[in-house]
Amino acid sequence: MYTKEESKEVKIQFWDGFKRYSKEKGRKMTSWVLRGTQIKEVQLKFDLNENGAFVIIQIDSKLDSKRHSVYEQFEKYKPVIMGTCGADLKWEKDYFIEGFKDVGMIYYHLGGASIYNKDEWKSYFEFMFSKMTILEEAFLDVKDVVLQAV
């Protein structure tokens, strides 16, 4: 079991390692779209938590109706997004982030991943890098039409 301080250090090491991996692959962390989507309710995110590794388009709003409306705009272009991303992309209009709130999520998931399994970090880096590259491309393909609709 890790102490709070040890856990924090492991997380810092992991994300620093991912930054180095991305840079070696030709992408600085600042070059990913992430929060710069130009759609207030939408972020592209990386996450590694007790439920596994995730690469996400997250749709979030204080108003459920707004969140659903933005999510539905992405759903209209699901064939385009799936054509780029493949069948393993998951869609959830109401995904509950434990202890937090509901969000809309379009995401890739790698189950069984743990930040504490340092021997597997490289495979997690590969998963997150490759999936974000694809997800970001799909997002950019539909961003302008979604932005106009919301």
Side-chain angles (χ1 to χ4, degrees):
M1 200 69 181
Y2 290 86
T3 67
K4 199 173 204 178
E5 195 57 39
E6 289 169 333
S7 181
K8 181 179 176 182
E9 185 58 32
V10 169
K11 290 175 184 176
I12 290 169
Q13 289 173 3
F14 177 82
W15 292 110
D16 284 348
F18 184 64
K19 286 177 189 175
R20 283 191 303 278
Y21 179 86
S22 294
K23 190 173 182 181
E24 289 169 10
K25 294 289 186 180
R27 293 288 301 258
K28 291 183 181 180
M29 288 301 288
T30 56
S31 72
W32 296 105
V33 170
L34 303 179
R35 288 183 178 85
T37 64
Q38 299 178 346
I39 304 171
K40 180 182 175 187
E41 298 80 11
V42 177
Q43 297 178 37
L44 277 68
K45 298 177 94 172
F46 298 102
D47 195 12
L48 179 59
N49 60 42
E50 62 278 356
N51 297 316
F54 295 83
V55 177
I56 308 162
I57 295 175
Q58 182 174 306
I59 303 153
D60 185 12
S61 176
K62 291 178 183 177
L63 300 173
D64 287 345
S65 60
K66 181 65 173 175
R67 175 172 46 86
H68 289 156
S69 174
V70 174
Y71 181 89
E72 289 162 4
Q73 289 303 313
F74 281 97
E75 272 190 321
K76 285 182 182 178
Y77 300 98
K78 189 172 184 175
V80 173
I81 294 169
M82 295 301 285
T84 301
C85 294
D88 56 339
L89 188 68
K90 297 172 177 36
W91 294 70
E92 291 194 43
K93 190 173 193 173
D94 295 296
Y95 184 97
F96 182 69
I97 299 175
E98 201 167 315
F100 192 50
K101 62 181 170 181
D102 281 325
V103 297
M105 285 195 14
I106 303 165
Y107 64 100
Y108 289 106
H109 177 233
L110 178 64
S114 169
I115 200 163
Y116 302 107
N117 189 355
K118 291 183 179 184
D119 293 338
E120 294 296 320
W121 280 8
K122 186 169 188 227
S123 67
Y124 304 160
F125 296 161
E126 290 168 354
F127 168 80
M128 291 192 306
F129 186 92
S130 65
K131 296 303 186 186
M132 183 57 85
T133 300
I134 296 166
L135 193 59
E136 183 181 68
E137 178 185 337
F139 169 77
L140 292 172
D141 285 346
V142 301
K143 177 186 88 169
D144 289 338
V145 291
V146 171
L147 185 59
Q148 286 177 345
V150 299

